[in-house]
Amino acid sequence: MMNSLKEFLYQHKVLKLSDKKLQRWHLSGQIEKIIYAAKNGTYQIRLQCVRLLADHLHNESVKNQLVKMIDDEVELVANAAISLFNETKDQSIILRIKQARERMRSRKRSLASARNVPYSREANQEFYNPKEHLMDQLKRHQSDFHPGF
């Protein structure tokens, strides 16, 4: 178990989680620390934690953490967690996987449609390149606050 001082230092980024520490914790069987890293690490650390925790699916706390990671906002981490439960018969996990996949699809669709957002320029709707829109905004801002001499 991790003491509260170390936990505080990790939370405030004084101590950094690393692959080396994860490997050491894995070899020494400190599963609670790997679970902590899975909750609080960067996406690379969380991805590594999924790989390391795959061997310990029989542990209930590990299984609970991996089920939570199915809903991770980083698709790589979520897909790694989903792949561990491919053979599961638990209906609640299957439902959670379906919901997570649907959220990923909808997120991709919304990102794809955000590339061509309608933008009103003098009362007519047209699709635009976001780069051009940002340049237009910059030019308007400069002309408003820095008039020519």
Side-chain angles (χ1 to χ4, degrees):
M1 197 65 166
M2 191 177 306
N3 66 28
S4 58
L5 177 61
K6 276 192 176 181
E7 191 171 328
F8 177 81
L9 294 174
Y10 279 119
Q11 284 177 345
H12 290 82
K13 309 284 190 248
V14 175
L15 293 178
K16 304 272 185 205
L17 295 166
S18 66
D19 286 337
K20 209 181 246 188
K21 285 181 186 173
L22 291 176
Q23 291 296 333
R24 191 175 32 200
W25 292 342
H26 180 68
L27 292 174
S28 63
Q30 296 175 329
I31 303 302
E32 300 84 20
K33 290 183 179 182
I34 298 174
I35 292 172
Y36 175 82
K39 290 177 186 174
N40 299 300
T42 62
Y43 86 92
Q44 293 105 338
I45 295 296
R46 292 193 313 268
L47 186 60
Q48 184 66 20
C49 288
V50 170
R51 294 177 183 142
L52 294 175
L53 292 173
D55 300 334
H56 303 281
L57 268 175
H58 60 278
N59 185 331
E60 197 62 34
S61 60
V62 170
K63 186 176 179 180
N64 291 338
Q65 180 58 37
L66 289 172
V67 168
K68 288 177 188 173
M69 293 177 83
I70 289 172
D71 296 324
D72 198 281
E73 68 266 2
V74 177
E75 194 172 329
L76 284 171
V77 177
N79 285 334
I82 287 171
S83 69
L84 295 178
F85 293 105
N86 280 340
E87 303 297 321
T88 189
K89 304 271 191 264
D90 188 350
Q91 291 300 317
S92 64
I93 295 175
I94 292 171
L95 179 64
R96 195 162 187 167
I97 289 171
K98 286 180 182 177
Q99 291 170 345
R101 285 186 174 150
E102 183 55 40
R103 272 193 301 278
M104 284 183 224
R105 274 190 233 108
S106 66
R107 203 176 306 141
K108 282 182 182 178
R109 273 188 241 119
S110 67
L111 287 175
S113 66
R115 292 183 186 136
N116 292 318
V117 179
Y119 157 63
S120 177
R121 195 184 286 178
E122 297 172 10
N124 63 354
Q125 289 284 333
E126 62 182 36
F127 286 94
Y128 72 100
N129 182 341
K131 184 178 175 182
E132 291 173 10
H133 175 65
L134 290 173
M135 289 305 294
D136 288 345
Q137 282 183 330
L138 179 63
K139 287 175 186 174
R140 261 187 267 121
H141 184 275
Q142 287 176 339
S143 66
D144 291 347
F145 293 104
H146 302 291
F149 294 100

